[in-house]
Each structure stands twice: as C-alpha cells, then as structure tokens.
Amino acid sequence: MNPSEQFVEHGMSQQNLKRTSFATVLTLAYQSLGIVYGDLSTSPLYVYKTTFSGKLRLKEDDEEIFGVLSFIFWTFTIIALFKYVFIVMSADDNGEGGTFALYSLLCRHAKLSILPNQQATDEKLSAYTTQDSADTWLSAHLKLLFEKHPRFQKGLLIFVLLGTCMTIGDGVITPAISVFSAVSGVQVKIKGLHENYVVIISCVILVVLFSIQHHGTHRVAFMFAPIVAAWLLCISGIGIYNIFYWNRQIYRALSPLYMLKFLKATGIEGWMSLGGVVLSITGVEAMYAALGHFSALSIKVAFTCLVYPCLILAYMGEAAFLSKHHHDIQGSFYRAIPETVFWPVFVVATFAAIIGSQAVISATFSIVSQCCALNCFPPVKIVHTSSRIYGQIYVPEVNWLLMCLCLAVTIGLRDIDMMGHAYGLAITTVMFVTTCLMTLVMVIVWKQGITKAILCLVLFGSIELLYISASICKVPEGGWIPLVLSFTFMSIMFTWNYGTMKKHEFDVENKVSMSKILSLGPCLGMVRVPGIGIIFSNLASGVPAIFGHFVTNLPAFHQVLVFVCVKSVQVPCVSDMERLVISRIGPKEYRMFCCIVRYGYKDLQQENYNFENKLVSAIIQFVEIEESDPAPTPEEFSMDGGNLNVEHLGVSPHILSSSCYIENNFPFSCVLRVKNKNDDDNLQESPYKDESVQILKARESGVTYILGHSYAEAKKSSSILKKFAINIVYAFLSKNCRDPDVFLHVAHTSLLEVGMVYHV
C-alpha cells in the first residue's frame, strides 16, 4: 500500500503531512478531484441560465454578459480562493474541517459547549489541544460574555445548526439540479424531446444513485478522479476554443469596473440576478469539510493548479459564445460545445453530475452523524461502507428521505431556474455562517486583533449578504424550498436537544445520593447474586434515578455493578486507547464502578468488538493498578473520585466467553484460570488480586444489561406548543431512535428495560 492510499484510508486527522513528499501531495491532489470538486466543477451547467432567468436580458452592447462574467470571476476569486483556500482551511480541528470543526474549536477555547457530562478529564485527551498564547482584551471579553450569558451559547449553537440545516437542504437540491441540468442537454440535439422524458430519465438516475449508496463510494471511487479531471479539461479546452473563435476581447470583463457598469445599467433586475451568479461557487464548503480525508496542501494544490483555472476558462468561453449568440442563453452551455465533441462531453457531464451529487450525499450522512454526537439529532442507524477507508458511512433513514425529497423537487419544479434559486439561498447562508464562525476563531483561538477580525467579517460577510439578499428575493420562485427544509430540520433538532437536556437535568436532580448508598451497606439492602449488572446511565458520575426505581421493585441485584455512560466530547475523534474512563463508586467492598465511553463528533458510535470483553478487561486493569497504589482515604471515595484513564494500559485483553481462560497482553502478563467444579487442584497461581478474581467469576456467571427508558411528558401547565413538542414530536423521536444497547451490540436475551416518566 502506497503512502497516499494509507493517508486516505486512515484520514488526515490522524496523519502529519508536513513532511510528506511532493509526489504524495500530487497524488492526494489528484485523488481529491473526485471526492471534493465534483459539485463545484459542474456549476457551469446552470450558472448563466439561472442568472438570466428573470427579466434580465442580453443587449447588443454586451454590457450584461461582461458584467456577469466579472461578478463570477471576482466572486470565485475572493470567496473560493482567498477566503476558503488561503484563510478558512487554516482553521482545522486536529486535521478536520467543516462547520462543526469551527464550532468545536470555539467550544474548547471559550468553554462554549452545552453538551452534558463534560469533565476535566476530557481536557487530557490527546486531541484536546488549545492555544497557549495569552488572551487579547477582545478575546477575553468575548469569553466572558459567553460565560456570563448562557443564552449566547445557545444562540451560537442554533446559528451553527442553521448552517447545518441549510447544508442538508443543499444535499436535497444538488442531486436534483446537477442531474436534471446534465440530462436536459439532450434537448439541444433532440429538438422534439418532451420535458416529461427528461424528468423521467433524471428520476431514474436519482433512484439508481440513492439505491447504491449502501455499497459505499469506495467501490467506484477509483473512477471519480479521472472523470472529474476529464470533465475539467474538457470544459477548459472548450472555453479556450470559444474565446479564440467567438470573442478574444472577453478578457476585458475581468476588470471590476464591469460589475459597477452592470449594476448601474440593470438596476434592481441586475441585483436580483446575482442569485444565479453565486451558483458558481457551489461546493466550496466541500473543500473545507474534506480536510479529514486529505491534506490542506493537496486540496489547495488541486484547486489553484487545476480547478480554478479550468473553471475560469470555462466561464470565459461560455461568455464569449453568448456575446455572439444572445438568443441561446437558455441552453448556452451545451450550445457552446463544438458539434464534433458534443456527445462525448454530454456523457462526461452526466457522470460528473452524478459524482457531484454523490459527494453532497456523503457529506449529508456525515453531518447527520455529527448532529447525533452533539445531541441535536436522534440517534439513527449508521453503517460503515468500508472497513478500510476512514469516515465513509451510510445512513439508511436519511438516504431514503433525501431520495424522496430529491424526486419531489425534480418532479414538482421541472425547472432549472427555480432549482437554482433554491440552491443559491442554501449555499450563501452556509457561507455566511462559516464567515461568522471564522471571525470568532480568529479572535478567540488565533488571538488576532480586532482590525483583522473586522476586515474578514466586512470583506467576506458583505459579499455574502449581498448574495443572500438577492437570493431572498427569489423565495416565491423556488427559494422557499431550503427555508421549509431548514425550518423542519431545525425544529426536529431543537426539540430533540431541548428534550435531551431536560432529561439530563431530571437525572441530575434525582440521582441517588452517596449517603444513601453508604447507609445501605455493601449489600445495598438486597441480595447480591452472582453476575455483572451493566446499567446504562445518562450521568457521567453518580447513581442514576433509574437504579433506585429498579431496586425498589426487585429485592436482588448482581455481585458487580457497572454504570455505563456513553457521551460525546468536543474533539473530532477519540482514539480507542482513550475511549474508556473507569472510576469506582463507593468503597471497594461495594464493587460498584462507573465506565464512561467517550466519542468525538466525527466518531461513529458503533463498536465492532464485544463490549463486555473490553469493559471487564478495563475494570480488571483499573483494579490491579488501583491496588498497586497506596490505599486511598475514605474522603477520596466521592462520586467523581478514583478516576483512572486506561489510555496507558496497552491493548485490552480478549476474554473468551466459552471458557474460563483469559489471554492477556497488557502489562500484567499472565494466563488466568478460574477454578470450577470440574477442575483439579493443580491450578496455576494467579497474580490477580481477590477482587479481580471475583470480577472474573462474576463475568462467567453472566452479564445482564439494564436500560432505562425515561418517558418525557410536558407539565399540565405547559403551553400547547410545548405539549406538542414534548408529548408528540419528542416522544415519537425517542420511540424510533436507537438506544446505546444497539451500537454496543447487546444481545436482546441479556437486556432488561426499566421505564420511568418525568415531567418537564
């Protein structure tokens, strides 16, 4: 396996590419074409058509076409090149990019996280890096503002979710407009082809595209890069041909003066047409989001050396053609293709549109997964589509939902212009969210002065607000689609986040006190039967109320109790060696432990190993190391006491459930055999302490999982809106989401569920 393949498989977040060879960077740059630039490279299919879809028309003096090209060139240069390539891509979170990466950086440096169960031990994670430089007066004041006013923290999260929901809307519109635009090109050659046939062909392609998602992109990924590269070379070559054949003076349109002339000559119609111009930079967010799969340098090389010049030449060539063919504006892209190469370019365009759609669909899967980690989306089924390539996932529920929405947009609109209007509003909103978050990162994380921060916000933010204002005017003509989608997803996310936080508050307020546990004695007032009881809890410390509810109905419980809390932390990934944190609850004779299972926002909360084995192994390691240290005083037995991170203990042992043997490869090198009735007396002496032996015996007696189901109900005094949100929406989502036992592969025969009702 060559180094570049290795980097893609494991993800750039786990690699240091600063010392990679130039050949490796070029290889990664080539591979990034198919995954990163599919959406961006297909924009010429519909930019000019959408821009001139309103009352704006070309005149004989070519002022309009020169002005539109000038807007495209400078928008592409300032936003795509200067903002994303030179600035935004420098703000990576351990090699990861995207909206959540910026939010994660802010959460760690300014303590903005509203995730429950955050602990000081989380800051010791290897991925939890912060800048050591001193705060400026501006960064200190901003941090203080967020600390004193939790509403600003909540507002920032909602702002991030706004951009996220618009990105999901992008995942609906991109496949529809890309495939429909590519297929509609056949009408240029087949004049009598009815629009219904174009819609049917587009729908068939979309159904096939979504139907093969479960196979994963890695099976056809080797084809993506050469197809996109061929597409870029085709459109740039055609652009050069059109420039020299139709209008060699088109380069004059690169002057920014033509933008002013355009707005002066066209007025409000020209301003409204900018909603089509912004489509030229669709897909630039993918460059930043793909940092986890490639290096920043390789993505920059691919963009500056190939993507940027090819697309600029393509837009210039099409403008040169339009300057001599004003009547062909509605089909300008395909009409500008020379007759001899039309069909080959049409085929490549169709494949490129499919690839661009695939990239956005995969990005939507990743975004939903990250929202689940932030408690902003119900846990859904997430499937690994590749055992080798890092980060490739498939979310069945989201996939079929996207397919239905894409088909609805394609069949319902049947118009590239209306799709373009919807597309423009979605992407401009996401870009503005990135600009605002980037400004905060410059101040809080990079400790830059107020001048640079304001310059960044004003320069990029003003351009994006200009395009947002133009796109908003197109709301009645298709712009309402991303608004409706965004509002729907925002409502689901906010309701889920609100219900989850209220549930956590209930658990914290009603957890069993330590004094009550100690008053019950080692037996907890019950009969302790052989075995291990694993109780899933929403608390990282303490005994949950569900346990008290359980023991009041059953007089017996297991010999060893383990409270398991699955939580997310504000880092992209948590290594397997840092996944578990083990602590003890109460004195040793109680044999009660707490296990925290930590995940990053880009980790998949789905384990491929036997969770029982790893958990018991970690507890034994904890006990062995704890007993090798001086005995702690009684005061140290607190609900958060006795924490031990197992990151330095090596690979967890594998425990064979079918026998009493333990094959061990962690520091206590041994093979233990637990005595059974059929064993003789010639047993090897175990180096384990008595408590470890008792835990192993309990493991062999069986493991039972106790899962608490807390059902939320709105108080009778609550408003009708709150009752609808909690009693109907949140209850429906809770009933249909995935519980921790699913992604930890808990056998249903070992699962016991306990229900409780709480009022919010």
mmCIF file of all heavy atoms in Angstrom, residues 93-124:
data_model
loop_
_atom_site.group_PDB
_atom_site.id
_atom_site.type_symbol
_atom_site.label_atom_id
_atom_site.label_comp_id
_atom_site.label_asym_id
_atom_site.label_seq_id
_atom_site.Cartn_x
_atom_site.Cartn_y
_atom_site.Cartn_z
ATOM 1 N N ASP A 93 -9.414 21.447 12.936
ATOM 2 C CA ASP A 93 -9.521 20.865 14.269
ATOM 3 C C ASP A 93 -8.891 19.485 14.234
ATOM 4 O O ASP A 93 -9.534 18.507 13.911
ATOM 5 C CB ASP A 93 -10.992 20.784 14.682
ATOM 6 C CG ASP A 93 -11.161 20.271 16.101
ATOM 7 O OD1 ASP A 93 -10.163 20.236 16.838
ATOM 8 O OD2 ASP A 93 -12.287 19.900 16.476
ATOM 9 N N ASN A 94 -7.594 19.427 14.582
ATOM 10 C CA ASN A 94 -6.837 18.176 14.504
ATOM 11 C C ASN A 94 -6.933 17.562 13.109
ATOM 12 O O ASN A 94 -7.092 16.359 12.942
ATOM 13 C CB ASN A 94 -7.333 17.169 15.546
ATOM 14 C CG ASN A 94 -7.008 17.580 16.961
ATOM 15 O OD1 ASN A 94 -5.881 17.417 17.437
ATOM 16 N ND2 ASN A 94 -7.986 18.160 17.638
ATOM 17 N N GLY A 95 -6.839 18.425 12.106
ATOM 18 C CA GLY A 95 -6.886 17.963 10.732
ATOM 19 C C GLY A 95 -8.269 17.882 10.135
ATOM 20 O O GLY A 95 -8.410 17.635 8.941
ATOM 21 N N GLU A 96 -9.316 18.102 10.934
ATOM 22 C CA GLU A 96 -10.689 18.018 10.444
ATOM 23 C C GLU A 96 -11.208 19.411 10.087
ATOM 24 O O GLU A 96 -10.817 20.406 10.698
ATOM 25 C CB GLU A 96 -11.605 17.398 11.495
ATOM 26 C CG GLU A 96 -11.218 15.988 11.892
ATOM 27 C CD GLU A 96 -11.511 14.976 10.806
ATOM 28 O OE1 GLU A 96 -12.244 15.321 9.860
ATOM 29 O OE2 GLU A 96 -11.011 13.843 10.885
ATOM 30 N N GLY A 97 -12.095 19.462 9.095
ATOM 31 C CA GLY A 97 -12.678 20.724 8.677
ATOM 32 C C GLY A 97 -14.187 20.677 8.701
ATOM 33 O O GLY A 97 -14.789 19.653 9.026
ATOM 34 N N GLY A 98 -14.815 21.799 8.365
ATOM 35 C CA GLY A 98 -16.266 21.876 8.345
ATOM 36 C C GLY A 98 -16.808 22.768 9.442
ATOM 37 O O GLY A 98 -16.077 23.255 10.308
ATOM 38 N N THR A 99 -18.111 22.997 9.397
ATOM 39 C CA THR A 99 -18.768 23.875 10.370
ATOM 40 C C THR A 99 -18.576 23.382 11.794
ATOM 41 O O THR A 99 -18.294 24.163 12.712
ATOM 42 C CB THR A 99 -20.270 23.970 10.056
ATOM 43 O OG1 THR A 99 -20.442 24.428 8.707
ATOM 44 C CG2 THR A 99 -20.954 24.945 10.993
ATOM 45 N N PHE A 100 -18.688 22.076 12.004
ATOM 46 C CA PHE A 100 -18.551 21.535 13.351
ATOM 47 C C PHE A 100 -17.120 21.628 13.854
ATOM 48 O O PHE A 100 -16.882 21.684 15.057
ATOM 49 C CB PHE A 100 -19.037 20.090 13.392
ATOM 50 C CG PHE A 100 -20.526 19.957 13.440
ATOM 51 C CD1 PHE A 100 -21.234 19.562 12.324
ATOM 52 C CD2 PHE A 100 -21.227 20.249 14.593
ATOM 53 C CE1 PHE A 100 -22.606 19.445 12.358
ATOM 54 C CE2 PHE A 100 -22.612 20.138 14.640
ATOM 55 C CZ PHE A 100 -23.299 19.738 13.512
ATOM 56 N N ALA A 101 -16.158 21.638 12.947
ATOM 57 C CA ALA A 101 -14.760 21.806 13.361
ATOM 58 C C ALA A 101 -14.539 23.203 13.933
ATOM 59 O O ALA A 101 -13.871 23.368 14.964
ATOM 60 C CB ALA A 101 -13.832 21.560 12.173
ATOM 61 N N LEU A 102 -15.106 24.221 13.282
ATOM 62 C CA LEU A 102 -15.005 25.582 13.806
ATOM 63 C C LEU A 102 -15.710 25.701 15.150
ATOM 64 O O LEU A 102 -15.193 26.311 16.098
ATOM 65 C CB LEU A 102 -15.613 26.568 12.806
ATOM 66 C CG LEU A 102 -14.876 26.750 11.475
ATOM 67 C CD1 LEU A 102 -15.676 27.648 10.547
ATOM 68 C CD2 LEU A 102 -13.490 27.322 11.694
ATOM 69 N N TYR A 103 -16.896 25.105 15.240
ATOM 70 C CA TYR A 103 -17.644 25.161 16.495
ATOM 71 C C TYR A 103 -16.900 24.433 17.614
ATOM 72 O O TYR A 103 -16.876 24.877 18.763
ATOM 73 C CB TYR A 103 -19.024 24.543 16.279
ATOM 74 C CG TYR A 103 -19.899 24.546 17.511
ATOM 75 C CD1 TYR A 103 -20.347 25.741 18.063
ATOM 76 C CD2 TYR A 103 -20.291 23.361 18.118
ATOM 77 C CE1 TYR A 103 -21.151 25.748 19.190
ATOM 78 C CE2 TYR A 103 -21.105 23.362 19.239
ATOM 79 C CZ TYR A 103 -21.523 24.561 19.775
ATOM 80 O OH TYR A 103 -22.318 24.566 20.891
ATOM 81 N N SER A 104 -16.265 23.322 17.286
ATOM 82 C CA SER A 104 -15.502 22.571 18.277
ATOM 83 C C SER A 104 -14.306 23.373 18.784
ATOM 84 O O SER A 104 -14.001 23.369 19.986
ATOM 85 C CB SER A 104 -15.017 21.247 17.675
ATOM 86 O OG SER A 104 -14.230 20.530 18.587
ATOM 87 N N LEU A 105 -13.623 24.064 17.888
ATOM 88 C CA LEU A 105 -12.503 24.913 18.302
ATOM 89 C C LEU A 105 -12.963 25.980 19.286
ATOM 90 O O LEU A 105 -12.324 26.229 20.317
ATOM 91 C CB LEU A 105 -11.861 25.569 17.077
ATOM 92 C CG LEU A 105 -10.974 24.686 16.188
ATOM 93 C CD1 LEU A 105 -10.563 25.450 14.933
ATOM 94 C CD2 LEU A 105 -9.734 24.234 16.946
ATOM 95 N N LEU A 106 -14.099 26.610 18.975
ATOM 96 C CA LEU A 106 -14.627 27.652 19.863
ATOM 97 C C LEU A 106 -15.053 27.066 21.213
ATOM 98 O O LEU A 106 -14.821 27.682 22.260
ATOM 99 C CB LEU A 106 -15.815 28.342 19.193
ATOM 100 C CG LEU A 106 -15.491 29.174 17.946
ATOM 101 C CD1 LEU A 106 -16.769 29.645 17.277
ATOM 102 C CD2 LEU A 106 -14.626 30.368 18.317
ATOM 103 N N CYS A 107 -15.653 25.899 21.181
ATOM 104 C CA CYS A 107 -16.108 25.283 22.434
ATOM 105 C C CYS A 107 -14.941 24.975 23.359
ATOM 106 O O CYS A 107 -15.037 25.158 24.586
ATOM 107 C CB CYS A 107 -16.881 23.999 22.130
ATOM 108 S SG CYS A 107 -18.521 24.287 21.432
ATOM 109 N N ARG A 108 -13.846 24.520 22.810
ATOM 110 C CA ARG A 108 -12.701 24.145 23.654
ATOM 111 C C ARG A 108 -11.971 25.373 24.185
ATOM 112 O O ARG A 108 -11.488 25.373 25.317
ATOM 113 C CB ARG A 108 -11.730 23.266 22.862
ATOM 114 C CG ARG A 108 -12.290 21.916 22.498
ATOM 115 C CD ARG A 108 -11.185 20.887 22.349
ATOM 116 N NE ARG A 108 -10.186 21.266 21.386
ATOM 117 C CZ ARG A 108 -10.263 21.010 20.086
ATOM 118 N NH1 ARG A 108 -11.326 20.380 19.615
ATOM 119 N NH2 ARG A 108 -9.313 21.372 19.258
ATOM 120 N N HIS A 109 -11.882 26.407 23.388
ATOM 121 C CA HIS A 109 -11.108 27.582 23.804
ATOM 122 C C HIS A 109 -11.919 28.570 24.628
ATOM 123 O O HIS A 109 -11.343 29.337 25.402
ATOM 124 C CB HIS A 109 -10.542 28.296 22.570
ATOM 125 C CG HIS A 109 -9.398 27.572 21.923
ATOM 126 N ND1 HIS A 109 -9.588 26.492 21.086
ATOM 127 C CD2 HIS A 109 -8.053 27.752 22.007
ATOM 128 C CE1 HIS A 109 -8.412 26.063 20.663
ATOM 129 N NE2 HIS A 109 -7.468 26.802 21.201
ATOM 130 N N ALA A 110 -13.235 28.566 24.462
ATOM 131 C CA ALA A 110 -14.064 29.536 25.178
ATOM 132 C C ALA A 110 -15.090 28.880 26.089
ATOM 133 O O ALA A 110 -15.965 29.563 26.621
ATOM 134 C CB ALA A 110 -14.777 30.448 24.172
ATOM 135 N N LYS A 111 -14.982 27.556 26.268
ATOM 136 C CA LYS A 111 -15.902 26.835 27.163
ATOM 137 C C LYS A 111 -17.362 27.073 26.756
ATOM 138 O O LYS A 111 -18.217 27.395 27.574
ATOM 139 C CB LYS A 111 -15.694 27.261 28.620
ATOM 140 C CG LYS A 111 -14.252 27.224 29.090
ATOM 141 C CD LYS A 111 -13.667 25.830 29.069
ATOM 142 C CE LYS A 111 -12.243 25.810 29.588
ATOM 143 N NZ LYS A 111 -11.620 24.475 29.503
ATOM 144 N N LEU A 112 -17.615 26.892 25.461
ATOM 145 C CA LEU A 112 -18.955 27.167 24.949
ATOM 146 C C LEU A 112 -19.833 25.930 24.885
ATOM 147 O O LEU A 112 -21.006 26.035 24.575
ATOM 148 C CB LEU A 112 -18.867 27.778 23.541
ATOM 149 C CG LEU A 112 -18.121 29.099 23.404
ATOM 150 C CD1 LEU A 112 -18.132 29.537 21.955
ATOM 151 C CD2 LEU A 112 -18.739 30.153 24.282
ATOM 152 N N SER A 113 -19.267 24.776 25.164
ATOM 153 C CA SER A 113 -20.004 23.543 24.962
ATOM 154 C C SER A 113 -21.199 23.447 25.892
ATOM 155 O O SER A 113 -21.103 23.707 27.091
ATOM 156 C CB SER A 113 -19.088 22.330 25.184
ATOM 157 O OG SER A 113 -19.817 21.132 25.049
ATOM 158 N N ILE A 114 -22.333 23.072 25.326
ATOM 159 C CA ILE A 114 -23.530 22.836 26.132
ATOM 160 C C ILE A 114 -23.818 21.345 26.223
ATOM 161 O O ILE A 114 -24.886 20.941 26.677
ATOM 162 C CB ILE A 114 -24.749 23.568 25.541
ATOM 163 C CG1 ILE A 114 -25.045 23.057 24.124
ATOM 164 C CG2 ILE A 114 -24.549 25.057 25.550
ATOM 165 C CD1 ILE A 114 -26.326 23.595 23.558
ATOM 166 N N LEU A 115 -22.858 20.517 25.802
ATOM 167 C CA LEU A 115 -23.023 19.081 25.925
ATOM 168 C C LEU A 115 -23.014 18.689 27.399
ATOM 169 O O LEU A 115 -22.209 19.202 28.181
ATOM 170 C CB LEU A 115 -21.892 18.345 25.200
ATOM 171 C CG LEU A 115 -21.931 18.349 23.673
ATOM 172 C CD1 LEU A 115 -20.688 17.681 23.123
ATOM 173 C CD2 LEU A 115 -23.166 17.640 23.161
ATOM 174 N N PRO A 116 -23.882 17.790 27.807
ATOM 175 C CA PRO A 116 -23.883 17.350 29.206
ATOM 176 C C PRO A 116 -22.700 16.438 29.506
ATOM 177 O O PRO A 116 -22.029 15.936 28.600
ATOM 178 C CB PRO A 116 -25.209 16.585 29.327
ATOM 179 C CG PRO A 116 -25.471 16.078 27.943
ATOM 180 C CD PRO A 116 -24.942 17.147 27.018
ATOM 181 N N ASN A 117 -22.443 16.250 30.787
ATOM 182 C CA ASN A 117 -21.434 15.297 31.263
ATOM 183 C C ASN A 117 -20.010 15.659 30.869
ATOM 184 O O ASN A 117 -19.154 14.789 30.744
ATOM 185 C CB ASN A 117 -21.741 13.878 30.748
ATOM 186 C CG ASN A 117 -23.026 13.324 31.307
ATOM 187 O OD1 ASN A 117 -23.300 13.467 32.498
ATOM 188 N ND2 ASN A 117 -23.837 12.712 30.455
ATOM 189 N N GLN A 118 -19.723 16.938 30.667
ATOM 190 C CA GLN A 118 -18.358 17.335 30.371
ATOM 191 C C GLN A 118 -17.537 17.343 31.661
ATOM 192 O O GLN A 118 -17.984 17.839 32.691
ATOM 193 C CB GLN A 118 -18.322 18.710 29.709
ATOM 194 C CG GLN A 118 -19.069 18.766 28.384
ATOM 195 C CD GLN A 118 -18.566 17.762 27.375
ATOM 196 O OE1 GLN A 118 -17.417 17.819 26.942
ATOM 197 N NE2 GLN A 118 -19.414 16.808 27.007
ATOM 198 N N GLN A 119 -16.318 16.792 31.615
ATOM 199 C CA GLN A 119 -15.467 16.644 32.793
ATOM 200 C C GLN A 119 -14.065 17.161 32.513
ATOM 201 O O GLN A 119 -13.656 17.318 31.359
ATOM 202 C CB GLN A 119 -15.401 15.170 33.210
ATOM 203 C CG GLN A 119 -16.747 14.578 33.604
ATOM 204 C CD GLN A 119 -16.658 13.085 33.820
ATOM 205 O OE1 GLN A 119 -16.321 12.334 32.920
ATOM 206 N NE2 GLN A 119 -16.954 12.656 35.042
ATOM 207 N N ALA A 120 -13.333 17.387 33.595
ATOM 208 C CA ALA A 120 -11.960 17.874 33.457
ATOM 209 C C ALA A 120 -11.075 16.840 32.782
ATOM 210 O O ALA A 120 -10.104 17.188 32.095
ATOM 211 C CB ALA A 120 -11.397 18.240 34.832
ATOM 212 N N THR A 121 -11.370 15.546 32.975
ATOM 213 C CA THR A 121 -10.554 14.504 32.354
ATOM 214 C C THR A 121 -10.637 14.546 30.832
ATOM 215 O O THR A 121 -9.722 14.074 30.155
ATOM 216 C CB THR A 121 -11.000 13.119 32.851
ATOM 217 O OG1 THR A 121 -12.416 12.982 32.629
ATOM 218 C CG2 THR A 121 -10.715 12.941 34.328
ATOM 219 N N ASP A 122 -11.711 15.120 30.290
ATOM 220 C CA ASP A 122 -11.834 15.212 28.828
ATOM 221 C C ASP A 122 -10.768 16.118 28.235
ATOM 222 O O ASP A 122 -10.366 15.944 27.087
ATOM 223 C CB ASP A 122 -13.225 15.734 28.446
ATOM 224 C CG ASP A 122 -14.336 14.820 28.916
ATOM 225 O OD1 ASP A 122 -14.068 13.621 29.105
ATOM 226 O OD2 ASP A 122 -15.466 15.313 29.118
ATOM 227 N N GLU A 123 -10.312 17.082 29.009
ATOM 228 C CA GLU A 123 -9.304 18.014 28.505
ATOM 229 C C GLU A 123 -7.923 17.381 28.418
ATOM 230 O O GLU A 123 -6.996 17.990 27.891
ATOM 231 C CB GLU A 123 -9.248 19.251 29.410
ATOM 232 C CG GLU A 123 -10.568 20.014 29.451
ATOM 233 C CD GLU A 123 -10.491 21.256 30.323
ATOM 234 O OE1 GLU A 123 -9.359 21.593 30.758
ATOM 235 O OE2 GLU A 123 -11.534 21.885 30.575
ATOM 236 N N LYS A 124 -7.777 16.161 28.942
ATOM 237 C CA LYS A 124 -6.497 15.458 28.864
ATOM 238 C C LYS A 124 -6.400 14.577 27.626
ATOM 239 O O LYS A 124 -5.386 13.914 27.428
ATOM 240 C CB LYS A 124 -6.303 14.610 30.118
ATOM 241 C CG LYS A 124 -6.246 15.428 31.405
ATOM 242 C CD LYS A 124 -6.084 14.541 32.626
ATOM 243 C CE LYS A 124 -6.072 15.366 33.908
ATOM 244 N NZ LYS A 124 -5.942 14.512 35.124
#
